[in-house]
Amino acid sequence: MTHPIAHRRLVFAIVGLIAVIGATTPALAAVAAVYPTQSLGDRGTDVATIQQLFHAHQSDPAPPSGGRAVIVRGINPLIVSIDGIYGATTVAGVRAFQASRGLPETGVADAATWSKLIVTVGPGATGDAVVAVQRLLREKRSAVVPANGIYGAATGTAVKAFQAHMGLARTGSVDVATWRALVWHFELPKFSAAALCDYSHRNGPANWGTAETISTLEAAGAATVAAGYGRIAIGDVSLEHGGDIIGHVTHEVGLDADVRPMHKANDQCTSETTWRMSAYDRVATRALINAIHAATSGHVKLIYFNDPVLIREGLTTFHSGHDDHLHVRVCEASHPLGGYRC
C-alpha cells in the first residue's frame, strides 16, 4: 500500500528507534526501545501491566471486593481493576500515583510514569510485579510460564531467552532495560473463530503490532462476530520489531493495520473484494469501523478506504490503492512520530 512520502521521511528521522530484525539476529531495537504512552481509551497488555504495577506498589489491605486499594490524594480508596482497559479509574489511579512520586498529575502513563512504576525483580521474587512480567512474556513472546507471581526457574529461563532475543545481557533479572524492552515489544493477534482471521499480503510474518493495536483489532473482531457479520480479516500490521516492510512506507511502528472490507457472505477471511463489487457489504463495513472506534476510543488516527459513501459520512478517507482494504492507524497520546500522536 502506498502512503505519502512525508511519512517515510519521518520514519527515517528515527531510524535508530526501529530496526529490521532477522530471525536469528538479536533485536537491535532493544537499545532504543521506548515505553508506549498509554492514556484514557487505550487497551491491551501494556494497560494491564500498568494496572498490575499499581498493585505492586500498594501496601494497604485488600478491600472487601478482593481488589487492592490505591489511595487517591490520601482520602478515598480506588479500585483499579486489572482488565487491560484504560478507563476513568485507571486515569485517577495514574494521577494518584504521579502525585505520590512528584510527577505532573496528567493521568497519562508516559515514560516518566513508567520509570517510577516498574519494579526490578529476579529469582525468588514474588508478587504483582512478577505477575506483570509473566503476563508480558506470555503475551509478547508466547513464553510457557505460569502467571502465578512466583519468580521460579521457568520465569528466569524465559527472561534470559527474551534478553538474548533483544540483545540484552542475559542476567535472568528484569532490570530497567528489560522492562522497557518487554513493554515496547510488539505482540501477535490471536486468530480464532471468535474474532480474527489472517490473510497474507506478501509479508507472511507481518502480523505484529503494539499491544494497543492488537487488543483493538481483537475487541472489534469480537464485536463484528457477535453482530453476525463474521470475523475481521487482518493483513499486514508490522514485523516483529518494526522497520522496513515490503510494499509499505508505513506499517513500521506497529500502529498500522490492513483490514479487508466485510462481505455479504461473511467470507472476507477467504475472499477479496472491493467497495465496487456486489459482494461488498457496506452495512457490515460501517459496523466494523464503528467497532474499531469503540474498542479504543479517541485512539484511531485515520482509516483509509475509498468507499465514497463512508467517506461522505466521515468514517474513512480516500487514498489511492485502498479500494480493496481498509488501512487503520491507531495512535498514542505521545509518540516519536507526529503522524502517530493522538
Side-chain angles (χ1 to χ4, degrees), residues 151-162:
Y151 205 115
T155 299
T157 298
V159 168
K160 287 181 180 179
F162 177 76

Side-chain angles (χ1 to χ4, degrees), residues 133-158:
V133 168
Q134 292 168 330
R135 177 185 290 108
L136 288 166
L137 289 167
R138 288 159 62 104
E139 294 297 325
K140 300 198 173 190
R141 287 297 296 163
S142 299
V144 182
V145 295
N148 60 3
I150 300 172
Y151 205 115
T155 299
T157 298

Side-chain angles (χ1 to χ4, degrees), residues 2-19:
T2 303
H3 294 276
I5 196 66
H7 292 303
R8 187 59 152 180
R9 295 193 184 105
L10 283 172
V11 172
F12 284 143
I14 61 160
V15 68
L17 175 67
I18 305 295

Side-chain angles (χ1 to χ4, degrees), residues 222-241:
T224 60
V225 169
Y229 299 126
R231 293 179 288 172
I232 295 178
I234 305 299
D236 286 346
V237 186
S238 289
L239 299 174
E240 184 175 357
H241 303 103

Side-chain angles (χ1 to χ4, degrees), residues 97 142 199 253 273:
F97 181 81
S142 299
Y199 76 90
V253 296
T273 191

